[in-house]
């Protein structure tokens, strides 16, 4: 199977997973910030693409969608997409990241993320002791990473925070994959 077909398949699976998560979530609960008070973000029509970094640049106010928050990386043996979930469905205690893992070679349900995740913000705060869980089995799984919003009394996101990033290390033959969300998604 060609790399292009793998990427297209991966993107379709990620979109289907995100859609199903939000469909079922909306069926069973009504999160205040999703329905009653949607957060908004200023985006641009011109996009400058930088690998693994979400950027944008023309001013039109729109609601944040799951696709806006998803960053993918197809390097190595495992394709990994990461969504920063708080702008859509806030968790009062944690920063939540949904990680989509896809491959056609190994069972990912046994993947151990311990010591493979590093959170960093623009102020230099780093967190590598994160909570994580994996759902699903086989070649396509979803992991959830939760990081407390406060570490040692310090907020990980403040009005001065310019970006947050999640680094996944040594997964699928790739030493480092960096996923970065800028300040538009941190309000």
């Amino acid at each position: 199977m060609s790399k292009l077909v793998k990427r297209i398949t991966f993107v379709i699976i990620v979109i289907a997973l995100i859609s199903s998560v939000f469909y079922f979530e909306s069926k069973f609960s009504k999160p205040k910030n999703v329905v009653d008070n949607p957060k908004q973000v200023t985006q641009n029509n011109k996009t400058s693409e930088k690998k693994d970094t979400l950027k944008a640049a023309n001013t039109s106010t729109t609601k944040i969608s799951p696709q806006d928050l998803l960053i993918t990386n197809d390097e190595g043996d495992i394709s990994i997409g990461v969504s920063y979930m708080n702008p859509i469905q806030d968790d009062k205690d944690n920063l939540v990241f949904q990680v989509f893992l896809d491959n056609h070679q190994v069972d990912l349900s046994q993947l151990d993320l311990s010591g493979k995740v590093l959170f960093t913000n623009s102020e230099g705060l780093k967190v590598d002791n994160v909570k994580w869980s994996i759902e699903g089995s086989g070649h396509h799984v979803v992991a959830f990473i939760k990081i407390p919003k406060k570490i040692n009394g310090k907020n990980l996101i403040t009005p001065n925070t310019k970006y947050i990033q999640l680094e996944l290390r040594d997964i699928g033959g790739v030493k480092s994959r960096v996923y970065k969300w800028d300040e538009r998604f941190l309000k």
Side-chain angles (χ1 to χ4, degrees), residues 11-72:
V11 169
I12 290 169
I13 290 170
V14 167
I15 290 170
L17 286 170
I18 290 173
S19 298
S20 64
V21 166
F22 287 104
Y23 171 77
F24 287 111
E25 183 64 30
S26 69
K27 281 293 200 190
F28 298 110
S29 69
K30 186 178 178 184
K32 182 177 179 184
N33 65 333
V34 172
V35 178
D36 298 330
N37 185 19
K39 292 185 179 181
Q40 296 188 328
V41 66
T42 301
Q43 293 185 331
N44 293 347
N45 292 335
K46 286 184 178 178
T47 58
S48 66
E49 295 181 354
K50 182 176 179 188
K51 196 170 198 172
D52 302 331
T53 304
L54 190 58
K55 298 230 182 234
N58 166 12
T59 27
S60 69
T61 304
T62 60
K63 294 179 187 174
I64 297 174
S65 74
Q67 292 80 8
D68 294 332
L69 301 166
L70 176 67
I71 304 169
T72 61

Side-chain angles (χ1 to χ4, degrees), residues 135-187:
E135 296 179 3
S137 63
H139 302 289
H140 317 284
V141 298
V142 177
F144 291 91
I145 296 171
K146 291 189 175 187
I147 302 167
K149 287 183 174 181
K150 276 188 171 187
I151 300 291
N152 298 327
K154 292 185 178 183
N155 289 322
L156 294 181
I157 297 177
T158 70
N160 297 325
T161 304
K162 301 291 183 210
Y163 69 85
I164 60 171
Q165 78 178 28
L166 200 65
E167 179 182 5
L168 301 179
R169 299 176 291 197
D170 299 318
I171 300 174
V174 178
K175 184 174 177 137
S176 174
R177 302 175 204 233
V178 176
Y179 302 84
K180 188 174 185 179
W181 294 267
D182 65 35
E183 60 193 326
R184 293 169 297 140
F185 302 103
L186 306 180
K187 306 299 177 208

Side-chain angles (χ1 to χ4, degrees), residues 118-127 154 156 161-163:
L118 176 64
F119 171 89
T120 309
N121 69 8
S122 59
E123 288 84 19
L125 287 172
K126 296 182 180 199
V127 179
K154 292 185 178 183
L156 294 181
T161 304
K162 301 291 183 210
Y163 69 85

